[in-house]
Amino acid sequence: MALISILFLSAAAQAVQFNEAKNRSLFSDIKAHNIGDLITVLIVEDAKASNAAKTSTSKDHKVEAGGGPGTGPFDFIPLWGMSGENKNDFTGEGQIQKSGSIRAKMTVKVIGLNDNGDLVIEGNRIIDVNADKETLFLSGVVRQRDVSPTNSVFSFQIGDAQVSFKGKGQSHDASRPGILARFFNWIF
C-alpha cells in the first residue's frame, strides 16, 4: 500500500515538473499568464490639461421722454418729462493649466484572471530614503497579447489603470505651507 502511494506521489510530482518544463521551453516566451506570476510595468504617464474661458458682456439702456410747457395758469410747470440711463459691463476671464509626469519601472503580481484571459494586476513599491517615504501603487487589467516577450507592458496598455504616487517625510512636509497658512487659505 505504501509503495502504491509513493508511486502515485512520484507520478504527480513528475506531472508538475513536466508542466513547469513545458512553460519554460527554450522556444517559447516566458510571459505571465497565471495568478501569482509577475509582470514588469514600464510606467510612462504624461498628463496635461488646459482650459481657458473668457466672457464679456455689455448692455446699454437709455430712456428719454419729453413734453411741452404747461397750459393755462400753470404754464410754468411742464406737462411731463422723463429721462433715464442704464449701463452694465462685465468682463471675466479664467484659465486652468495642469500637468503631471511619472516615469518609473516596477514589477506587479497577477492577482486574478478574467473569463476572457485578461490578467488582473496589482502592486506597490515603497522607497524609503533618509526618512522620506515614496509609495508607488499600480493596479489594472492587461490583455495577455499586450505582454511583450520580455514579460513587460507599458502603463498605457493597462485597462482600468490606477497609478498613485504619494510621498511622506521631511522634504514633503517642508514643501507644504504651515497649518496657519492652510487654515487662512481655507477660510479665504
Side-chain angles (χ1 to χ4, degrees):
M1 186 72 148
L3 182 60
I4 293 174
S5 62
I6 291 174
L7 290 175
F8 179 73
L9 290 175
S10 175
Q14 287 176 354
V16 169
Q17 287 176 351
F18 174 75
N19 286 336
E20 288 179 2
K22 185 173 74 171
N23 289 337
R24 294 184 186 152
S25 169
L26 294 174
F27 304 105
S28 67
D29 297 327
I30 301 172
K31 293 170 40 171
H33 58 275
N34 286 323
I35 294 174
D37 289 349
L38 301 176
I39 298 177
T40 300
V41 178
L42 306 169
I43 302 170
V44 181
E45 296 292 329
D46 290 319
K48 293 182 182 178
S50 64
N51 188 10
K54 184 175 183 178
T55 304
S56 180
T57 61
S58 179
K59 182 178 176 181
D60 287 333
H61 187 69
K62 190 172 187 176
V63 175
E64 289 186 37
T71 58
F74 300 108
D75 63 351
F76 61 93
I77 300 175
L79 286 177
W80 57 280
M82 183 180 199
S83 180
E85 189 172 315
N86 184 13
K87 188 172 183 179
N88 190 359
D89 287 324
F90 173 77
T91 302
E93 285 188 44
Q95 186 172 1
I96 298 172
Q97 288 186 336
K98 189 167 186 158
S99 65
S101 177
I102 297 177
R103 303 231 188 264
K105 184 190 276 190
M106 70 182 288
T107 301
V108 297
K109 186 182 283 190
V110 176
I111 61 168
L113 292 171
N114 288 343
D115 293 337
N116 62 357
D118 290 348
L119 309 171
V120 180
I121 60 169
E122 184 175 287
N124 62 48
R125 179 177 216 90
I126 299 171
I127 303 165
D128 194 356
V129 178
N130 293 334
D132 283 338
K133 187 180 281 191
E134 303 291 334
T135 303
L136 181 61
F137 172 81
L138 184 133
S139 69
V141 179
V142 177
R143 293 180 296 207
Q144 285 194 24
R145 68 176 173 256
D146 288 340
V147 180
S148 74
T150 60
N151 197 37
S152 63
V153 66
F154 284 100
S155 60
F156 57 81
Q157 294 173 309
I158 299 173
D160 297 329
Q162 290 185 344
V163 181
S164 172
F165 188 67
K166 296 180 182 178
K168 277 187 172 182
Q170 294 173 351
S171 62
H172 175 72
D173 292 342
S175 66
R176 294 179 61 196
I179 192 164
L180 287 176
R182 289 193 311 244
F183 176 74
F184 285 119
N185 285 338
W186 178 73
I187 290 177
F188 300 109

